[in-house]
DNA sequence: CTGAAAGCGCTTACAG
DNA sequence: CTGAAAGCGCTTACAG
């Protein structure tokens, strides 16, 4: 843009009067739908900035981040990446928690618009594709980290190589001589959990090992799921020698329950987690786990979002960062 | 104010022309010092809002929150309280991490001013009283949660009854028949850790128990401090029967080290933590701990800050919320 | 549903 | 250093 967009220039571009553009900006009702659309287009094409919202040079870009929780290691580490990267890029973070009585999508979008915020980062949010589309329609850029549901067409998402991670965890256990390996997953609807499970199944099949239905459990990404999972597995006629848990939290529950029941880890039971959060280092024994590059994921998402806010098309709709198996003390050779 | 302040009303109040007021607002040089002062006064007296910064009704107040870390349970739970309460009050949170290469106080204050943000919540920050004063001088309201250093005159702070908490933890151990009780503290400079230690000493003295110098250790609020602390204590000629750790994180390290060394908790060693974060429920055995009302602290701080931003004087410079002893499985009767 | 016109709040080049 | 005046960008009551 050679010159700054004004109501007048936008009006000319849209072929309407200044008044009409003003009405659209102020959300007046008395504008025909088609006209409104043309004006909206002209506004974004010309890069029009609401007067109250032009940033004085010292102010920084604000990015909204919506997380499901702040009290879990997973979110905390992603958040750390987001904060670090945002600072480098001169952006600041407006944090909010989804879930519970979260405000409606419309309300949130309105607040963002009113403050001139134009970027939203969802961390494993349960927002539906329809809701995300609604936000995008208002000119807000959206990037999703580790989506629980596929976020819908045209929405950039950042995640990890869940399938490969699940496969490598299982191969590690196979390599230690275990053949009776169980899987305790997160929510059945969560795509990332499904991917880890598929990786697990793939590794077993490659070795020609039959997949046992009752070795595959699901629940949530929490310790309780791990506790109950181990109970259930130990009650089987032939309990597993090893467990691959779809998150560190689940693995934590498995370890706790094992200790309660006097099952020695790793001597009698090998356990692998997923995530590589700091929690996996605090357990005893320390947890063998598939580390996700959580900080990098946060950082990558921030960069992608800033690019989109800049009007550039995303490089790619889906970015997957590599996971890495960290072998520690919760896994051992089969006896 | 019956009616909204405009340049015209401010000019009338200051007895100058509209042009002059405009110049002052825009930082022009060509205004006499005395005039400038009169105008400034009229501006603040009339509560004039720069056009770019008046919040349209849909936009919410933004509160800056600076935390030392996001990856510890303590901060996460305080944060949860902050977010919840802010949402109720119609405020939103701009999150940033202090520590590392944090931007200078001046830079931060400038950014806040440029975006019209006028409230800052510090969570256990290491900001010096001088730095806090500098921010306040720019018209930004400040509230500190659990200050590491006393935050200086006139700065509201929110904390917990650390002394009483330390005392009750120690009394619990005394009540179980232990007399050889050690204390593993956080940073020696941290006031909250000192207070907990003083509560511990007070409980011992009340029972006429001599305080042993080598039973009192310090370090940081982290597991490593707990690990090393237990090592050190077990190396003593008469090791303690019980340990009061100044945080759950420290206690976690004690538990881990005890397991490594084959010391049974609580049979051979009782352990009490401090904080009551979710981590204290995930250990095995579950941790007896002094719970701080972390969510409430966050919430109280938000309310106090919003009051100050509203121009009301704070109710009190220091708010202390009650701690509560949670007896779980890491403590047992002396044998 | 649309836009011409009046008007508000602010900025600025310029005369004094 | 000050302010009258021109002018810009926006909003809005109202005529069509």
């Amino acid at each position: 843009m050679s010159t700054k967009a004004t109501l007048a220039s936008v009006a000319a571009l849209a072929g309407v009067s200044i008044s009409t553009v003003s009405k659209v900006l102020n959300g007046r009702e008395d504008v025909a739908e088609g006209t409104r659309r043309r004006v909206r287009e002209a506004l974004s094409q010309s890069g029009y900035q609401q007067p109250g919202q032009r940033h004085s040079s010292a102010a920084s870009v604000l990015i909204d981040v919506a997380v499901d929780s702040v009290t879990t290691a997973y979110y905390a580490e992603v958040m750390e990446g987001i904060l670090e990267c945002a600072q480098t890029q001169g952006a600041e973070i407006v944090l909010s928690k989804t879930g519970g009585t979260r405000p409606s999508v419309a309300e949130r979008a309105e607040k963002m618009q009113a403050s001139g915020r134009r970027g939203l980062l969802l961390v494993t949010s349960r927002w539906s594709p329809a809701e995300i589309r609604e936000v995008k329609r208002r000119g807000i850029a959206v990037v999703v980290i580790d989506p629980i549901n596929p976020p819908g067409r045209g929405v950039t998402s950042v995640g990890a190589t869940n399938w490969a991670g699940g496969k490598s965890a299982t191969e590690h256990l196979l390599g230690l001589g275990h053949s009776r390996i169980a899987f305790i997953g997160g929510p059945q609807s969560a795509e990332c959990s499904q991917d880890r499970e598929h990786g697990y199944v793939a590794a077993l099949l490659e070795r020609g090992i039959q997949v046992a239905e009752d070795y595959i459990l699901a629940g949530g990404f929490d310790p309780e799921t791990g506790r109950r999972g181990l109970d259930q597995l130990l009650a089987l006629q032939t309990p597993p020698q090893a467990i691959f848990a779809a998150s560190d939290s689940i693995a934590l529950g498995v370890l706790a329950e094992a200790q309660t029941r006097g099952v020695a880890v790793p001597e009698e039971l090998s356990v692998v987690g997923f995530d590589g959060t700091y929690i996996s280092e605090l357990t005893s024994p320390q947890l063998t786990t598939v580390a996700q590059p959580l900080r990098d994921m946060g950082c990558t998402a921030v960069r992608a979002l800033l690019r989109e806010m800049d009007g550039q098309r995303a490089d790619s709709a889906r970015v997957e960062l590599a996971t890495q198996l960290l072998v520690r003390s919760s896994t051992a050779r089969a006896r």
Side-chain angles (χ1 to χ4, degrees), chain A:
Chain A
M1 282 142 286
S2 49
T3 174
K4 205 177 142 251
T6 65
L7 282 210
S9 70
V10 174
L13 186 59
V16 297
S17 73
I18 291 178
S19 316
T20 303
V21 179
S22 174
K23 283 176 191 169
V24 170
L25 276 175
N26 293 296
R28 288 285 151 85
E29 299 289 322
D30 58 343
V31 178
E33 216 23 74
T35 312
R36 185 184 302 275
R37 216 181 34 250
R38 279 212 318 289
V39 170
R40 276 255 142 80
E41 220 157 87
L43 281 168
S44 75
Q45 221 178 82
S46 63
Y48 180 78
Q49 293 276 350
Q50 299 249 40
Q53 293 164 17
R54 105 205 102 196
H55 16 238
S56 55
S57 56
S60 40
V61 179
L62 293 181
I63 293 178
D64 278 56
V65 176
V67 301
D68 284 345
S69 150
V70 289
T71 50
T72 61
Y74 172 90
Y75 292 99
E77 300 204 2
V78 171
M79 199 60 214
E80 196 143 84
I82 291 173
L83 283 172
E84 227 157 81
C85 196
Q87 197 183 319
T88 315
Q89 312 271 318
E92 296 188 284
I93 297 303
V94 178
L95 181 64
S96 57
K97 225 182 94 176
T98 62
T101 58
R102 80 168 129 98
S104 76
V105 176
E107 266 177 86
R108 160 174 285 280
E110 206 173 323
K111 266 194 183 173
M112 290 183 62
Q113 279 188 308
S115 329
R117 279 138 48 190
R118 290 172 22 259
L120 173 61
L121 200 54
L122 297 173
V123 188
T124 327
S125 165
R126 286 157 194 126
W127 286 33
S128 68
E131 287 173 311
I132 293 177
R133 244 180 289 120
E134 153 128 31
V135 173
K136 292 201 79 170
R137 210 181 304 128
R138 291 176 185 251
I140 294 172
V142 181
V143 167
V144 188
I145 294 184
D146 230 354
I148 288 253
N149 316 302
R153 304 223 130 271
V155 177
T156 304
S157 71
V158 175
T161 53
N162 291 305
W163 186 86
K167 189 151 180 266
S168 74
T170 312
E171 282 168 348
H172 166 65
L173 292 169
L174 290 165
L176 289 171
H178 301 289
S179 55
R180 300 199 311 278
I181 303 171
F183 172 78
I184 306 181
Q188 254 156 344
S189 60
E191 221 188 357
C192 57
S193 186
Q194 290 169 17
D195 291 350
R196 289 165 205 173
E197 180 182 330
H198 292 151
Y200 152 85
V201 169
L204 292 182
L205 293 181
E206 239 173 43
R207 289 280 188 115
I209 295 178
Q210 193 61 26
V211 179
E213 272 306 316
D214 47 10
Y215 270 17
I216 300 186
L217 306 178
F221 288 125
D222 49 50
E224 195 43 40
T225 295
R227 283 211 178 87
R228 263 207 303 264
L230 181 58
D231 278 350
Q232 229 171 303
L233 291 168
L234 290 183
L236 294 176
Q237 264 192 328
T238 48
Q241 310 156 285
I243 294 179
F244 167 37
S247 82
D248 287 347
S249 270
I250 297 174
L252 197 69
V254 172
L255 291 182
E257 186 64 19
Q259 186 167 24
T260 305
R261 289 169 156 265
V263 175
V265 175
E267 294 80 4
E268 303 174 67
L269 181 73
S270 282
V271 179
V272 180
F274 204 105
D275 283 347
T277 53
Y278 68 89
I279 281 187
S280 64
E281 292 184 82
L282 298 181
T283 54
S284 27
Q286 292 198 336
L287 194 61
T288 294
T289 188
V290 179
Q292 298 194 63
L294 296 172
R295 280 180 182 69
D296 281 357
M297 285 160 61
C299 190
T300 301
V302 166
R303 286 225 194 80
L305 185 59
L306 286 170
R307 265 201 307 273
E308 285 203 22
M309 287 164 71
D310 235 39
Q312 298 171 43
R313 281 259 46 74
D315 296 344
S316 151
R318 168 78 183 166
V319 180
E320 292 211 336
L321 302 178
T323 52
Q324 189 193 359
L325 181 72
L326 301 179
V327 176
R328 293 200 280 234
S329 326
S330 65
T331 48
R333 201 143 261 306
R335 293 186 302 187

